[in-house]
Amino acid sequence: MSGESELPDRDRRMEAALAAAMAEQKKYEQKRYSRLGRGAEKATAPIGGLLRRFVPPGLLRRALVVADRGAGWTLPVALHDTNDLAACDASALRVQGWAAGTGAASGGAAGWFGGLGMTLDIPATISLAARTVRATGQAYGFEGEGEEELVFRLMVLELATVRGLEGRKESLGKVNQLARELQSPEVRYVLEKGADWVVDKVVDRVARGLGTDLLKRKAAQVVPLAGAAIGAGVNASFQTDVARAARYGFRLRWLMHRQLLPAPEAAPEETE
């Protein structure tokens, strides 16, 4: 009997899952955000610029931190084997489907009420995005509550909202760099002890980017009734972008944690 025929089914499944994961990681690195998000931004950019004046940055900053903390309380216990990459991917895809569906329902309902509905829907959208990131992390076995984990989740969220090829490349570099650093106990200890100032800087930066992105995407909801369909589509698109970024980031950590993939070499030197 040949060695190949004696290869356990579990090993063959893992080999197939790894090949698929590597292909998806590479595909994501070359991808921009969803088409609907880009189309909505072009159509509503003038309104979005006006709306930014009425959404205080401090409000978004507080909403972002509260949403992340609150999301950790709503997650059910993961039932799959987090050492099984295929099972982790399947769980993360279920998170994406649930988030897109829930976001579409929320955006559709809010769109009926025009500008008022959009204003109320923004905190709900941020909360759902935070839960999507945390649930995806849980799918790959990463459920930490430390400040360093919060920074990683925020960087993943930033990756989902960044614009332009250069900005996206920089954001990918930050996620890759932090993913690599979190594998080192020494670096992780330093991050845990001195993360307060890092968290503040990252929260501020992500809140600014998130606010700009959401308002550009959701500006068309200011038109009552007509905004319902737009709100549903934009919310689903946004949550899909968030879920894909989270799947990329946490699968990267899963692979590196098991020494199956080194982090890319290129990474920015500063956190801003």
Side-chain angles (χ1 to χ4, degrees):
M1 183 177 294
S2 66
E4 182 178 356
S5 63
E6 294 176 356
L7 188 66
D9 289 342
R10 183 184 63 183
D11 291 345
R12 285 198 293 269
R13 288 196 302 270
M14 174 60 77
E15 184 177 356
L18 281 173
M22 298 296 189
E24 284 197 33
Q25 295 295 101
K26 183 176 181 180
K27 181 179 178 181
Y28 184 81
E29 289 171 355
Q30 300 171 346
K31 182 180 177 63
R32 295 186 67 187
Y33 53 101
S34 66
R35 292 180 180 178
L36 180 56
R38 297 199 298 270
E41 177 182 325
K42 290 179 181 178
T44 64
I47 305 176
L50 178 63
L51 289 173
R52 281 198 298 276
R53 301 178 185 178
F54 301 96
V55 181
L59 176 63
L60 290 174
R61 186 186 189 284
R62 290 190 296 273
L64 190 57
V65 175
V66 171
D68 179 85
R69 297 304 186 196
W73 302 332
T74 67
L75 299 180
V77 177
L79 300 178
H80 63 282
D81 180 5
T82 55
N83 288 312
D84 183 338
L85 180 56
C88 293
D89 282 338
S91 178
L93 284 172
R94 288 194 293 271
V95 171
Q96 176 177 319
W98 182 87
T102 303
S106 172
W112 283 92
F113 301 99
L116 175 61
M118 186 203 69
T119 302
L120 296 174
D121 189 45
I122 286 177
T125 301
I126 292 174
S127 295
L128 181 57
R131 189 186 189 281
T132 299
V133 173
R134 292 201 66 151
T136 304
Q138 182 188 64
Y140 289 95
F142 298 98
E143 305 178 62
E145 294 291 342
E147 298 298 313
E148 75 286 354
E149 293 291 346
L150 172 59
V151 170
F152 186 81
R153 291 193 295 268
L154 290 174
M155 286 187 175
V156 164
L157 193 53
E158 180 182 46
L159 176 58
T161 62
V162 74
R163 294 291 178 263
L165 294 178
E166 288 302 316
R168 191 173 190 279
K169 181 179 179 181
E170 180 182 1
S171 187
L172 278 166
K174 290 174 181 175
V175 169
N176 291 330
Q177 179 185 20
L178 186 55
R180 181 177 64 247
E181 290 173 348
L182 289 176
Q183 305 312 309
S184 167
E186 294 80 7
V187 174
R188 190 179 184 96
Y189 177 80
V190 172
L191 288 171
E192 288 174 354
K193 295 302 180 182
D196 287 348
W197 67 274
V198 176
V199 171
D200 288 341
K201 290 170 68 177
V202 174
V203 168
D204 284 339
R205 188 182 70 229
V206 175
R208 289 195 301 268
L210 182 60
T212 299
D213 182 53
L214 278 178
L215 289 174
K216 283 183 177 180
R217 295 195 194 211
K218 297 172 72 62
Q221 286 181 227
V222 298
V223 182
L225 304 183
I230 295 173
V234 168
N235 273 19
S237 170
F238 175 71
Q239 297 300 336
T240 297
D241 286 339
V242 170
R244 287 172 176 168
R247 202 160 65 248
Y248 171 85
F250 285 108
R251 184 164 52 204
L252 181 73
R253 288 183 64 182
W254 191 99
L255 292 167
M256 288 193 298
H257 184 67
R258 290 159 178 79
Q259 299 182 344
L260 297 171
L261 178 71
E265 292 297 327
E269 297 181 357
E270 297 179 357
T271 56
E272 286 191 322

